Amino acid sequence: MSSLTLREHLVERWVTSLRHELLLDRLAVPIVLAPLAGGPSTPELTAAVSNAGGFGFLAAGYLAASALAERLERTRTLTGAPIGVNLFIPGTSAPPQAVDAYAARLADDARQAGVELGAARFDDDDWAAKLELLMATPVAVVSFVFGCPEPEVIDRFHDAGSEVWVTVTRPDEARRAVDAGADALVVQGAEAGGHRASFRDDPAADVIGGIGLLSLLQLVRAEADIPLVATGGIATGAAIAAVLAAGAAAAQLGTAFLRCPEAGTAAVYRQALADNAPTAMTRAFTGRLARGIRNRFLDRYSAAAPAAYPELHHLTAPLRQAGRAAGDPGLVNLWAGQTYELGHQLPAGQLVRTLAEEARAALQHAGERLSPPAGGLGEEVGSAGPAPRSPS
Ligand SMILES: Cc1cc2nc3c(=O)[nH]c(=O)nc-3n(C[C@H](O)[C@H](O)[C@H](O)COP(=O)(O)O)c2cc1C
């Protein structure tokens, strides 16, 4: 924005928005594959969703820029359709005392699993290198989580030809993202599996709890006049229909794709997803609030875990890896949204087509509910005589 005034900047953005049709306007099917960092995201899954007319994201979180480059290249060999990449906005480092105290509590579990805990280091997830990679080899959409990029970064992505989507969990975050120049908002309800996308992970806000998706869509729509992508707890065509009716341009599904054969979901994780234990929010695995299926580790350590991301992510990585290798679900972060038990084991393209058909049927059914057949209650009320005239 540097040399432009705020007004000039806003006018420029308005003119740009008139010039460009957004990707969401062109999607054949308004279903978005969420970025699924930490294993489930694969080029095959991303390509399958985009090839089926939906929109596939590739997760960049936890990957070095060089690994992301390889995955991008592979994805491009599997699809010529538009794809997106999701980046984590770096945070700030946590107080070492809190991390050390938590590490001491985990020592017994590490001994029992026969592993050393990881080095609880802070890092920025290779932020600058990933930005450069995506500027040099642009994708249709770059989405962000855990914060909002600076307007300058958004402008650079626009210049490179990419749209920018920002994930929000509250109306004030939506306002910030719109002001920074985002093209669309991914509106994440509290039902969502995986990490809360909040700009700041504040334990003091835990008592308030997150806002559910339908409430949040209405609140964000009142603040933001740009396209919304609804996410959190959407597992059926009926729920896709519901968010479209509530004004979303598309639905972004994460957990629903975890059991697809193209996903890199570990066997022990797939098994847990086929069951129906409750989910809960926890910082125990990564130091950032996330929703997962309750298990031994989550129940034992959630109360003690400090907000310390990514330090705890690195600290617990060997334990989680040991759990996956030994088939012990009690040690693994089983990220899942509140509706995970409705998931199916279907190829991703087939899942997209089935969900789209279900959504069409649900919207038609809902439409019919609003135009009752002749002789219905509406007719009877009407036939009782003309409506009373209001006093003039
Ligand atoms: C295993 C897993 C990994 C996730 N990784 C990311 C990620 O890398 N970036 C991101 O923005 N959201 C991530 N999410 C959250 C999703 O974007 C989305 O908000 C969530 O999946 C929606 O709820 P649902 O799982 O009930 O569909 C992840 C979710 C899961 C379940």
Side-chain angles (χ1 to χ4, degrees), residues 259-336:
R259 297 177 66 197
C260 294
E262 298 93 337
T265 314
V268 68
Y269 190 0
R270 285 180 186 267
Q271 247 160 34
L273 288 164
D275 215 329
N276 63 356
T279 66
M281 300 297 276
T282 185
R283 289 187 183 82
F285 294 102
T286 65
R288 204 177 223 288
L289 206 58
R291 182 179 296 283
I293 299 171
R294 280 183 63 183
N295 64 0
R296 196 171 74 241
F297 192 89
L298 185 151
D299 285 346
R300 194 177 289 172
Y301 295 113
S302 290
Y309 177 88
E311 288 90 341
L312 298 200
H313 163 76
H314 294 303
L315 181 76
T316 68
L319 269 175
R320 291 182 277 127
Q321 179 50 37
R324 284 191 288 269
D328 176 3
L331 285 175
V332 180
N333 55 315
L334 305 167
W335 296 156

Side-chain angles (χ1 to χ4, degrees), residues 333-374:
N333 55 315
L334 305 167
W335 296 156
Q338 283 180 328
T339 53
Y340 78 89
E341 61 207 80
L342 301 176
H344 298 288
Q345 212 172 344
L346 283 179
Q350 198 178 326
L351 182 58
V352 168
R353 285 186 289 274
T354 305
L355 288 168
E357 270 166 38
E358 280 178 20
R360 268 183 226 111
L363 279 173
Q364 190 177 342
H365 179 69
E368 285 162 6
R369 293 284 302 139
L370 286 168
S371 37

Side-chain angles (χ1 to χ4, degrees), residues 20 23 35 65-66 283:
H20 294 295
L23 175 115
S66 54
R283 289 187 183 82

Side-chain angles (χ1 to χ4, degrees), residues 115-190:
V115 295
E116 299 255 323
L117 290 170
R121 63 192 163 80
F122 175 80
D123 67 55
D124 69 358
D125 206 37
D126 218 5
W127 169 251
K130 284 180 195 167
L131 287 189
E132 292 318 312
L133 171 72
L134 292 172
M135 303 285 178
T137 54
V139 289
V141 176
V142 182
S143 77
F144 294 88
V145 66
F146 305 151
C148 182
E150 295 297 321
E152 289 75 10
V153 172
I154 296 182
D155 287 347
R156 283 185 65 201
F157 274 117
H158 286 163
D159 291 345
S162 301
E163 287 179 25
V164 172
W165 298 4
V166 176
T167 315
V168 301
T169 61
R170 299 191 324 215
D172 60 317
E173 292 174 349
R175 264 194 309 275
R176 272 184 56 194
V178 170
D179 289 347
D183 300 288
L185 302 176
V186 180
V187 176
Q188 190 199 52

